[in-house]
Amino acid sequence: MKKTLLALTALSLAAPATAQRYDLEPGAHDPIAWDFVEGISTEVGPRLAGTPDEARGRAWAMEWLRANGFANVVEEPFMHDTWVRGEETARIVSPYPQPIVLTALGRSGSTGEGGLIAEVVRFDDMAELEAAPAGSLAGKIAFIDHAMRATMDGSHYGYFGQARRRGPAIAASKGAAGVVIRSIGSDTDRLPHTGGTGWDEGQEPIPAAALSNPDADNLTRMLERGQPVTLEMTLTPRFVGMTPSGNVTGEIVGRDPSLPPVLLACHLDSWDLGTGALDDGVGCAVAAAAARRVAEAGRPLRTIRVLFAGSEETGLYGSTAYSEAHADEPIAAGIESDTGMGLIWEMSSNFTDTNPDLYQRMLRAVDGYGVGPSTDVAAGGADLNVVRDQGGAIIELQQDISDYFGIHHTANDTLDKVDPAILAQNVAVWAALVNVLANEAGPIKPAE
Ligand SMILES: [Zn+2]
């Protein structure tokens, strides 16, 4: 991270004069983006999907958009199957009694007030869990110890994340009474990482939690000593039924509103442990600030629409609802910001080869900020279902997220982790790119 930062800082010194107000030097600041992320972190805080907290987030964001010159600010509600956290405590009963730090995964079942005491059976990884014979986990707590490593592009998250997304359902299918996983996170803080898990059709949710990485290390050492290890955990989350969630959109209306808009997406909900500053407060801050920066430079040709999606963390429900509601409204291009805090260093699209002239112009607009081309074909993130479903143009701006999965989905996701200079670089890159897209008269992704 340090090396990259230095290299990019050096690049910024050579950037054209227009880049100077987005200088990467310490002290660089984008007051609009900062106002959003500081405001929502302070005045709303955690925004768990389907809860009154998420609803307060929507109301706050709508007021912010109106106050910042956005038109057509609307809320599009949908119903959401909502889960809320309860008590969560755990301890090793034997042979080495001591407390253990964990947190329930989203959609975990409950142990009931009385808790669950059971022997722990450890699995190195998902393959080992899948190979366990049917019924072999009856009455046991399965421990999935798959350790995630940090990478600059976060590519390990998809692979290691399966232990959280699918591990509990597989363990339950083999009779497990409960599941603990090693946190899907690259840090050594004694803070567990939550995140959603899923159950098979008709499957009864069992208690499922993530241990902090140091606690997973400790449990592994205990098991290596060869005696049976008994864990007690009390998790009392609840499913509260169908409650309202929703998407929020706002627009910078273009000079020709008959042209399909450019969509800038992020999500407004967050997990409940931190304040959702990085995931995804900064994403919405960058999208909204970039739209406003473009508007300040002159009214764009195309409309720029921001989509603050609801209930992303619990299963992309807002993104899905938005796509269903807007299937017949073509979107010119979509971009998403949802990888926390990190300098943007690479750009990919799904029209690099079919519209090379436009891609080159986009590249020239951002290369002064240290952003280079990528040969990857952009597939887009969670909140771009509407563009994916339409087969539309997608651009990805890759951030350096070497450090992000140390904080992701923990109580540490708070405003102090937002670096104003990096936030300012993100907005500058987005604004430069969106300025090109929103002023492009021709099709962005020509029909192939
Ligand atoms: Zn997110």
Side-chain angles (χ1 to χ4, degrees):
M1 177 73 188
K2 244 184 199 137
K3 237 182 201 165
T4 316
L5 190 60
L6 281 176
L8 289 174
T9 307
L11 259 178
S12 80
L13 296 175
T18 50
Q20 286 198 351
R21 64 191 165 126
Y22 304 117
D23 205 319
L24 291 178
E25 293 304 307
H29 189 50
D30 188 286
I32 301 171
W34 180 260
D35 183 65
F36 185 96
V37 67
E38 191 269 351
I40 199 162
S41 304
T42 308
E43 296 174 19
V44 183
R47 306 173 290 283
L48 187 63
T51 66
D53 296 332
E54 194 200 25
R56 284 193 301 123
R58 284 195 297 282
W60 187 94
M62 291 174 74
E63 199 180 310
W64 188 95
L65 286 169
R66 290 191 183 110
N68 278 272
F70 286 77
N72 306 326
V73 176
V74 292
E75 179 177 3
E76 297 185 6
F78 56 87
M79 295 304 280
H80 175 264
D81 186 11
T82 298
W83 173 96
V84 295
R85 191 177 303 283
E87 183 193 344
E88 39 195 32
T89 56
R91 66 185 186 103
I92 301 296
V93 176
S94 66
Y96 312 112
Q98 56 184 287
I100 284 280
V101 175
L102 50 59
T103 193
L105 299 178
R107 303 203 168 275
S108 163
S110 172
T111 61
E113 301 280 338
L116 166 70
I117 300 181
E119 187 185 335
V120 176
V121 184
R122 181 182 170 280
F123 297 94
D124 258 339
D125 53 30
M126 289 287 283
E128 201 187 354
L129 174 66
E130 273 161 18
S136 64
L137 294 178
K140 304 278 173 52
I141 294 175
F143 167 35
I144 310 166
D145 196 22
H146 212 183
M148 180 182 178
R149 303 281 175 244
T151 57
M152 190 167 163
D153 63 359
S155 54
H156 276 193
Y157 181 58
Y159 173 64
F160 289 95
Q162 288 306 318
R164 189 196 77 213
R165 296 182 201 106
R166 287 289 305 147
I170 294 169
S173 75
K174 295 174 191 290
V179 183
V180 291
I181 66 165
R182 176 184 283 275
S183 276
I184 310 303
S186 55
D187 59 299
T188 55
D189 293 329
R190 204 172 183 188
L191 290 175
H193 296 239
T194 191
T197 195
W199 306 104
D200 294 335
E201 194 68 37
Q203 194 174 39
E204 186 66 28
I206 62 173
L211 306 175
S212 80
N213 278 320
D215 285 278
D217 294 341
N218 201 7
L219 179 55
T220 298
R221 288 194 304 271
M222 290 178 192
L223 289 160
E224 279 168 359
R225 281 164 160 73
Q227 292 184 55
V229 174
T230 305
L231 175 70
E232 176 176 18
M233 63 179 181
T234 303
L235 304 174
T236 58
R238 289 179 301 126
F239 288 85
V240 296
M242 300 301 284
T243 64
S245 180
N247 294 319
V248 167
T249 57
E251 293 183 336
I252 302 293
V253 178
R255 299 195 303 279
D256 184 352
S258 72
L259 286 171
V262 175
L263 187 74
L264 315 185
C266 62
H267 67 88
L268 207 52
D269 65 306
S270 77
W271 284 107
D272 51 340
L273 301 176
T275 63
L278 298 197
D279 190 8
D280 186 22
V282 289
C284 292
V286 167
R292 233 196 83 170
R293 292 288 176 212
V294 173
E296 279 169 7
R299 196 174 173 193
L301 178 64
R302 293 177 189 269
T303 293
I304 303 169
R305 183 181 301 161
V306 295
L307 164 60
F308 294 170
S311 301
E312 186 270 352
E313 296 290 4
T314 49
L316 324 190
Y317 294 103
S319 185
T320 302
Y322 192 81
S323 183
E324 280 169 10
H326 298 268
D328 301 331
E329 259 176 63
I331 304 287
I335 324 173
E336 179 187 74
S337 182
D338 185 17
T339 42
M341 187 83 302
L343 286 169
I344 298 170
W345 59 283
E346 205 174 56
M347 180 175 72
S348 61
S349 80
N350 62 356
F351 52 87
T352 306
D353 296 330
T354 54
N355 196 350
D357 167 67
L358 176 61
Y359 183 75
Q360 287 305 317
R361 281 187 281 128
M362 287 159 41
L363 205 52
R364 280 200 299 277
V366 300
D367 68 0
Y369 306 108
V371 182
S374 163
T375 52
D376 292 351
V377 177
D383 296 313
L384 290 177
N385 275 354
V386 65
V387 187
R388 251 189 313 276
D389 294 348
Q390 292 179 7
I394 294 173
I395 300 99
E396 273 179 23
L397 291 168
Q398 178 70 54
Q399 290 173 277
D400 176 352
I401 51 176
S402 309
D403 299 331
Y404 179 47
F405 287 102
I407 294 168
H408 183 252
H409 294 185
T410 70
N412 242 343
D413 181 351
T414 49
L415 186 70
D416 51 298
K417 314 308 180 307
V418 178
D419 181 326
I422 295 177
L423 184 65
Q425 186 255 11
N426 290 183
V427 175
V429 171
W430 272 64
L433 171 66
V434 173
N435 186 49
V436 173
L437 294 168
N439 287 296
E440 179 68 11
I444 289 169
K445 181 177 178 237
E448 285 150 82

